[in-house]
């Protein structure tokens, strides 16, 4: 058995099978923007739903929210993004290329690709200048009169400005959290590695509001909770590790931060972040809006601005990790196959449904099974090609179960159900299929 | 019993109970942008899931897609949006207000609100000028070098440019459809009516690709399918009607169009649109990209550019319709109550769980029930206040069932389950609750 060796293999599978396409491909694509195809959109929905169930539905003390992408421009002054969300860029006067000043050592000169831009000889570099990473746009009919607004670079601020509204409408008390899933945008200079770093992306963030002094304890709690979540999703534990931020790595608002890193084919990289953002954001919003944003303890009566512990995971990055981690090539039944060993709960298709042959009433029987199952699960009917070939197609799509209608089915109303990983085939009564599949894919 | 009489009542309920908040409210709000609170986000997810199950999961011939908000700028030249997606605006030289030239009769002059801007006397109007409704932004580090890109004003174009990728990866044949749910943006001059018309909104669109000549038949099919969907969701049939577009109302790309209209407190308004967009979009993309975008029939071998029948529904508008339609005030049990009679499948919370009193082990028993149910359903535990008051809170949130743990529960392990609409209370064995609730809320 072998793992994924390079990203290109996955990019190619993702396109061929309909997980991920390049955006606007017929126009030559749009830099670092991607579309999710029929299988990709199901996988993405299932991952987001699994996160939501564990973070919101399963907890009394976390509420859901969906704030808009467009927000009042003062939000980004308060958060520090207008002033500080910048990358230092340098231009090369010789080759006209643009580089991040802090990544020169890794950037190669377009004229002499064997040399890095950091080596003085091939490149004639300007002094670094600061470029803001927020996309800006104009709201209102006429550009000159319109308000400049930004596409949010993170969902977190939407949770902060709604802190009081959420707390009051849901009758929560500190400590409690606000979770959301939504798009964010960063005008990155050096995006790349397929869907690892993209300009348009989707975040799954949770802001947990706590009493100052209890923040270290909650930070430790969420760090463990989040690692456990990835383990339960079946991500290989030896390819996950914590990377605590040193003092020089901490963001301006952070007291403490840890990344959960995954070992991608391109190295160990940040996968999810857990941050102690202190009372920085709420205090700033209080200051910039002129509105009190604080909590009054109903027992003791004392008032304070809560501290925030944040968990931040990119949905596209999670999807990439899941695909990378699930990919394997192996020999089975005398043939080589590519399998995505996806956790059944997130697999795009839960079961393939196959008539063994295209005659003797088997297709009709299989169609009836499809009709029974499809209200509850995403299933896929396939009667084309040999049964082995149909198994391989579903292996490659990550489908955990394959239901086959054969000669015996017509006699005793049982079907075979094949397990993607063990290859074991069991005979199951057709009228017990919903229950059988449900037990295997809804955990 | 009385229905919703004015939108303000709903806006107030929506804020108080956490369905919808004004965006960036602590900063005075952002014009016509709204956030979804804890109950709103659940309702929205349930509506989108119900649409997805019926449009994608339940059909062999519709595939899902999620294309990005940012697309190659040539897409919008091809689609006609750069040249033609405009509103005619006029300015008043006296009062400095701006109006849509085609809506002057309904706009009142800010200086003399009793007069409309269309009446010549109070206003001194400029000639109409065309303003494009697309939000534009800049991709790349430096504005002057960056590419101008647009926030998409519709998801449809993402389905068109992915037509071949989706068809090939999913092995579909014409006729088949591509469905997606996603954000779109329009810099509207006159948004309003709460979440009815907003600048940032979410669409649920399906593009169905057919052989030319079969388009009228498919148009009729989808018109009926979509109306049936709204009926099944429980929208009052007498508040729904078809409005076929006359020749003067048709968009430039449309051969035929019909709106499904709903009777809102502010009048009959478009709710969902079904459009025969012909081969306009695919042909234009073929022309602008220089790539063949056509279908080859595998039986006959003939090639053609498919016609497209589109169904287009706004998710925020659907959510508003569902709230308006579900709202009622009535007298029950000698008290007045506000109820949201939401279809159980989309209700944010499926069951309230209440200990009758806060003693005798009832809270502990009720907590165990909550733990059993929450893996499967959104449930809400409440031990605060009288049982009548707790019922009313859930009525107002649209919760279809209320589970109460009382003295008898501790003796015979049964609970009462109250139905929101009929007020009938049934005794149900605690260990049968998952099954009981599932039968009532998963239809």
């Amino acid at each position: 058995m072998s793992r994924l060796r390079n990203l290109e293999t996955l990019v190619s599978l993702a396109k061929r099978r309909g997980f991920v396409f390049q955006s606007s491909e017929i126009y030559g694509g749009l830099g670092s923007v991607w579309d999710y195809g029929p299988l990709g959109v199901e996988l993405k929905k299932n991952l987001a739903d699994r996160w939501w169930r564990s973070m919101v539905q399963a907890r009394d003390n976390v509420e859901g929210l969906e704030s808009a992408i467009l927000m009042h421009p003062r939000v980004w002054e308060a958060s520090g993004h207008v002033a500080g969300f910048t990358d230092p860029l340098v231009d090369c006067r010789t080759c006209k290329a643009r580089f991040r000043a802090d990544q020169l050592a890794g950037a190669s000169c377009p004229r002499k690709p064997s040399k890095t831009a950091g080596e003085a000889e091939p490149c004639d570099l300007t002094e670094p200048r600061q470029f803001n990473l927020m996309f800006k746009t104009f709201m209102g009919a006429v550009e000159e009169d319109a308000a400049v607004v930004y596409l949010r670079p993170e969902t977190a601020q939407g949770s902060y400005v709604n802190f009081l509204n959420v707390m009051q409408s849901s009758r929560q008390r500190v400590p409690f959290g606000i979770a959301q899933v939504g798009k964010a945008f960063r005008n990155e200079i050096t995006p790349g590695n397929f869907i690892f770093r993209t300009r348009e992306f989707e975040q799954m963030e949770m802001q947990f509001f706590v009493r100052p002094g209890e923040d270290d304890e909650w930070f430790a709690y969420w760090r463990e909770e989040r690692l456990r979540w990835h383990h339960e999703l079946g991500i290989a534990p030896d390819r996950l590790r914590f990377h605590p931020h040193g003092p020089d790595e901490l963001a301006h608002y952070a007291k403490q931060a840890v990344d959960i890193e995954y070992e991608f084919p391109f190295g160990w990289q940040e996968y999810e972040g857990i941050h102690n953002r202190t009372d920085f954001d709420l205090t700033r919003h209080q200051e910039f809006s002129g509105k009190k944003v604080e909590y009054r303890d109903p027992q003791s009566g004392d008032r304070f601005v809560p501290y925030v512990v944040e968990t931040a995971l990119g949905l596209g990055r999670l999807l990439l990790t899941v695909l990378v981690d699930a990919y394997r090539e192996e020999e089975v039944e005398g043939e080589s196959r590519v399998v995505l060993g996806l956790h059944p709960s997130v697999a795009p298709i839960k079961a393939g449904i196959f008539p063994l042959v295209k005659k003797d009433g088997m297709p009709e029987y299989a169609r009836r099974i499809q009709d029974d199952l499809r209200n509850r699960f995403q299933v896929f009917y396939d009667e084309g090609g040999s049964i082995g070939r149909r198994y391989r197609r579903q292996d490659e799509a990550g489908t955990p179960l394959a239901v086959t209608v054969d000669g015996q089915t017509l006699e005793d109303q049982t079907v075979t159900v094949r397990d993607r990983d063990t290859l074991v085939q069991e005979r199951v009564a057709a009228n017990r299929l919903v229950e059988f599949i449900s037990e295997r894919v809804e955990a």
Side-chain angles (χ1 to χ4, degrees), chain A:
Chain A
M1 191 200 89
S2 72
R3 290 192 53 209
L4 184 69
R5 272 173 297 246
N6 60 66
L7 211 49
E8 291 64 41
T9 307
L10 187 66
V11 174
S12 156
L13 170 73
K15 176 174 174 179
R16 184 165 38 85
R17 294 309 308 264
F19 282 97
V20 181
F21 306 130
Q22 199 183 9
S23 167
S24 311
E25 191 189 292
I26 60 171
Y27 288 96
L30 185 68
S32 275
V33 181
W34 301 87
D35 295 344
Y36 292 89
L39 293 185
V41 68
E42 298 294 341
L43 176 56
K44 193 160 169 285
K45 270 164 60 72
N46 294 342
L47 288 166
D49 283 350
R50 189 177 166 95
W51 185 85
W52 192 264
R53 278 198 308 277
S54 78
M55 295 295 278
V56 181
Q57 185 171 322
R59 297 172 194 270
D60 278 332
N61 59 359
V62 177
E63 299 288 336
L65 177 73
E66 191 184 306
S67 64
I69 290 168
L70 302 176
M71 300 182 75
H72 195 289
R74 289 278 283 169
V75 169
W76 308 111
E77 292 174 31
S79 70
H81 284 84
V82 169
F85 192 56
T86 54
D87 272 348
L89 296 191
V90 297
D91 290 307
C92 173
R93 297 189 187 89
T94 316
C95 65
K96 309 297 179 202
R98 176 162 291 147
F99 306 100
R100 269 181 59 171
D102 54 344
Q103 294 178 354
L104 281 175
S108 68
C109 169
R111 293 239 176 132
K112 295 191 180 174
S114 62
K115 302 273 187 176
T116 72
E119 300 176 78
E121 190 206 337
C123 290
D124 176 17
L125 301 176
T126 62
E127 285 300 295
R129 289 178 294 171
Q130 296 299 325
F131 291 100
N132 198 294
L133 297 184
M134 286 196 291
F135 282 96
K136 81 173 175 199
T137 185
F138 310 93
M139 181 178 278
V142 189
E143 213 166 291
E144 48 279 25
D145 308 346
V148 170
V149 293
Y150 301 95
L151 307 191
R152 65 175 175 199
E154 62 177 18
T155 66
Q157 300 300 327
S159 299
Y160 303 144
V161 300
N162 279 298
F163 167 68
L164 293 176
N165 271 338
V166 170
M167 185 172 68
Q168 284 153 7
S169 61
S170 61
R171 301 191 294 144
Q172 285 286 355
R173 293 178 183 184
V174 167
F176 80 97
I178 301 180
Q180 51 173 327
V181 179
K183 289 270 174 105
F185 297 81
R186 294 179 187 180
N187 199 353
E188 300 274 1
I189 311 311
T190 50
N193 285 326
F194 193 30
I195 55 173
F196 179 78
R197 189 184 305 280
T198 56
R199 291 192 167 117
E200 172 177 340
F201 57 104
E202 198 148 356
Q203 291 187 313
M204 304 199 290
E205 294 191 324
M206 194 278 302
Q207 314 300 319
F208 201 74
F209 302 90
V210 306
R211 179 183 282 271
E214 297 176 0
D215 49 316
D216 291 338
E217 199 178 315
W218 280 109
F219 180 85
Y221 170 81
W222 282 111
R223 186 184 55 202
E224 298 308 320
E225 280 290 286
R226 293 307 309 151
L227 184 64
R228 192 166 61 81
W229 190 86
H230 297 293
H231 287 164
E232 285 175 0
L233 183 57
I235 307 293
D238 61 329
R239 295 200 281 272
L240 289 170
R241 72 179 186 195
F242 283 127
H243 167 72
H245 284 209
D248 56 322
E249 291 174 284
L250 285 177
H252 61 281
Y253 51 72
K255 171 180 161 184
Q256 202 180 355
V258 63
D259 293 338
I260 299 175
E261 293 188 334
Y262 180 80
E263 192 179 17
F264 291 96
F266 45 91
W268 287 95
Q269 294 284 345
E270 179 190 348
Y271 172 38
E272 171 153 17
I274 296 96
H275 314 120
N276 181 342
R277 296 179 69 137
T278 71
D279 58 359
F280 176 84
D281 298 278
L282 291 184
T283 302
R284 294 273 289 190
H285 285 303
Q286 192 160 258
E287 195 180 309
F288 278 68
S289 71
K291 303 271 180 11
K292 282 262 173 255
V293 184
E294 58 180 26
Y295 178 70
R296 183 180 170 279
D297 188 295
Q299 256 100 54
S300 68
D302 62 332
R303 293 168 183 276
F304 57 87
V305 177
Y307 267 42
V308 172
V309 175
E310 169 186 69
T311 72
L313 176 62
L315 181 48
R317 195 169 287 189
L318 171 63
L319 188 142
L320 176 64
T321 307
V322 160
L323 288 178
V324 165
D325 202 66
Y327 183 97
R328 63 179 196 266
E329 294 169 26
E330 61 191 15
E331 299 285 322
V332 296
E333 299 164 349
E335 278 184 67
S336 69
R337 69 168 186 171
V338 169
V339 196
L340 294 181
L342 297 170
H343 193 287
S345 72
V346 300
I349 300 167
K350 302 309 183 196
I353 301 167
F354 312 137
L356 184 61
V357 291
K358 237 197 293 194
K359 58 180 187 184
D360 302 337
M362 292 182 205
E364 294 74 13
Y365 201 106
R367 284 290 189 187
R368 284 197 299 275
I369 288 177
Q370 180 190 22
D371 283 340
D372 286 349
L373 297 180
R374 72 186 333 163
N375 290 325
R376 183 78 171 266
F377 313 108
Q378 261 305 350
V379 294
F380 185 79
Y381 175 89
D382 191 0
E383 57 178 36
S386 74
I387 191 77
R389 195 162 159 201
R390 284 177 271 166
Y391 284 153
R392 295 292 166 272
R393 278 190 204 127
Q394 293 307 311
D395 290 343
E396 207 182 46
T399 308
L401 300 170
V403 174
T404 304
V405 170
D406 56 17
Q408 193 180 328
T409 309
L410 307 172
E411 287 163 24
D412 69 2
Q413 321 295 318
T414 64
V415 294
T416 68
V417 182
R418 171 189 180 264
D419 181 283
R420 173 197 66 199
D421 301 316
T422 64
L423 306 176
V424 169
Q425 306 209 6
E426 271 184 77
R427 285 209 84 87
V428 177
N431 62 11
R432 278 202 56 243
L433 269 177
V434 168
E435 193 187 334
F436 183 91
I437 296 173
S438 154
E439 281 166 13
R440 278 152 190 82
V441 306
E442 291 181 346

